[in-house]
Amino acid sequence: MSLSTTTSASGYQQHFDPVLGRLGLSATVAAIPLIVLFVLLGVLRWKAHWAGLTALGTAAVIAVAVYGMPVGQTVSAAGLGAAVSFLSVIWILINALWIFRLTERTGHFAVLRRSFAGVSDDQRIQVIIIAFSFGALLEALAGAGTPVAISAVMLVGLGLPPMRAAVAALVANTAPVAFGALSAPVTTLSQVTGRDFDTLGSIIGRQTSIVAVIVPLVLVFLVDGRRGVREAWPAALVAGVGFGAGQFVFSNFISVELADIGAALCSAAVLVGFLRVWQPRHALTADSVTATASVHSAAPVPVTTGGFGGSGGTADSAREEEAPAPRDDRRNVILSYLPYALVIAVFVVAQPDSVKARLSSAALHFGWPGLHITGATGAPVPTVFTFDYLPAAGTLLFVSGVFTTVLLRVAPGEAARIYGATVKQLTWTIVCVLSVLGLAYVMNMSGQTGSIGRGLATMGAAFAVFSPVIGWLGVAITGSDNSSNALFGAVQIAAAQQTGLSLDLMAAANSSGGVVGKMISPQSLAIAAAVVGVQGKEGDIFRKVIGYSLALLALIALIVFLQSTPVLSWMLP
């Protein structure tokens, strides 16, 4: 095992074949931390924070012992990842859950639940509306973990068992990911590959729109099994086709940046319109689900681990307690929607470039201490830490929460108490997120991630099948399609040039493959588990979503492969 590398007291140069100079062996060794993480989560069912810390330790040992990265730089890289995780994940998670707890405390979420029942009291339909359509709108505006955090906790409040709500929110957050945060991942992909932004967006839209048609069907299966698909498939298909058509049209003919917004609104509009003329023959309500405790609408209480799940109530007792539910006047209904309308409004106001520039003018920029990295070609690897706190999604959610306290008339002291309880509830989730982002940065900075990507890029013509797998791995590691595109976009282009495949197709495949990796990302798992109150069961959630992730990945890989051949090459712009 050769450990030769260019290092100095002040710097470290990446290399991608440290094991006997062979890329394949190096990629295999580099994958060990990921294998450790997924085995601990999915097979041994460790709690996510312990699995994350163990995987981080494994990556650090490989970085030092195999890649020759100095110990100090390894520790510094982990520290940078942990610091980045605050704004990108933790800050979002805390404030998203705080907003929900405010609505629960004031009783307004109970009103919202009854309002949704007015559209359809069927949980299968509610999951599509909230996790798929509304979640996509949140993904379009905020990205990161916002849609999973908010939609999962809303589903629990509507009576879905916590574990099922977490899984549904994760699976739903797939098709919109590539165009999230006003298509930031596509922008990054265009920048790192040098390919045309509109062309990349067009190809991605022609791939992910197909996945979008399937996702609502998967959601009704998750909620109610085969019976759910049999009874609710028309609504699921209408929502999926509406979303897919909207995403295709906007990404190809209107605006790539607005692809998710257009898709989410199209999906919601066609579904609500369809429900005016059709409803499932047998509605699946919270009262009719066995082994599911009822969510009482009378006394508002904060979210707790046991407040929504378990087997504490029967269907008959639930119906008796729900029977005297009051009729809500228009004012209360408006107030119940207001916190989430505020979230959308605040994000919309913050989107114009002029506003972003003004907010970002207060950002802090500095080179991360003790970290000096150059790439394999000798070019410096950016290690500047940017604390861009004002336009951050978590900050915008905090502002929305402050407005919510005023409009819902929550006393400052009570709001602060709820905030403190929220942070306390998320303690171990925060540890998990810190460790997983630390893992990602150690693997990236040492060259382990590069070894994996370049190892897969040696597949020749078969690379068309494995191209989406690279994007999938990138998002599984980093938790972000944007980061995956930054990490592997150039690798995709280099591999396409070597194999004679379409440069634009392979670059787009990185982003499309990445969207289905989001649901197995440890960051996403931690967020979903935390907001529904099942911390420590991230491994169980992983086991429930990994099959769907792999199945959808196989579909995208098949689409990309066929698009690289005359069979579906006509689909490319």
Side-chain angles (χ1 to χ4, degrees), residues 133-316:
S133 300
F134 181 61
L137 186 59
L138 291 174
E139 180 69 38
L141 297 172
T146 307
V148 171
I150 290 182
S151 62
V153 79
M154 288 179 71
L155 291 176
V156 171
L158 288 168
L160 212 65
M163 186 67 69
R164 198 172 298 170
V167 173
L170 288 167
V171 172
N173 189 223
T174 50
V177 167
F179 298 101
L182 295 183
S183 295
V186 184
T187 300
T188 298
L189 186 64
S190 176
Q191 291 172 344
V192 300
T193 61
R195 309 304 296 177
D196 180 67
F197 172 81
D198 290 322
T199 301
L200 292 175
S202 175
I203 296 175
I204 294 169
R206 299 177 189 213
Q207 295 167 346
T208 58
S209 59
I210 299 174
V211 176
V213 176
I214 298 173
V215 170
L217 294 167
V218 175
L219 292 176
V220 297
F221 178 78
L222 282 171
V223 175
D224 195 29
R226 293 180 180 177
R227 182 183 65 179
V229 176
R230 186 171 61 251
E231 295 182 354
W233 71 265
L237 189 61
V238 165
V241 170
F243 188 98
Q247 192 176 71
F248 172 81
V249 170
F250 272 80
S251 63
N252 280 269
F253 305 112
I254 300 177
S255 168
V256 174
E257 292 90 343
L258 299 179
D260 272 353
I261 294 177
L265 295 178
C266 285
S267 175
V270 298
L271 179 57
V272 170
F274 181 68
L275 292 174
R276 291 184 179 273
V277 298
W278 180 92
Q279 288 284 344
R281 179 173 298 178
H282 303 103
L284 180 74
T285 65
D287 295 346
S288 66
V289 179
T290 58
T292 302
S294 64
V295 180
H296 306 301
S297 62
V301 294
V303 178
T304 61
T305 301
F308 300 115
S311 56
T314 64
D316 290 339

Side-chain angles (χ1 to χ4, degrees), residues 449-512:
T449 303
S451 295
I452 296 172
R454 285 163 175 78
L456 289 173
T458 61
M459 299 291 181
F463 180 68
V465 175
F466 290 97
S467 176
V469 178
I470 294 179
W472 179 80
L473 280 172
V475 176
I477 297 170
T478 66
S480 164
D481 198 44
N482 190 50
S483 297
S484 177
N485 287 344
L487 202 58
F488 288 132
V491 173
Q492 298 276 9
I493 290 295
Q497 290 172 334
Q498 294 173 13
T499 58
L501 295 167
S502 166
L503 304 186
D504 290 329
L505 176 60
M506 294 301 99
N510 192 82
S511 195
S512 297

Side-chain angles (χ1 to χ4, degrees), residues 25 102 307 319 565:
L25 286 176
L102 288 170
R319 273 190 287 270
T565 71

Side-chain angles (χ1 to χ4, degrees), residues 21-33:
R22 299 179 64 179
L23 182 59
L25 286 176
S26 300
T28 301
V29 172
I32 291 176

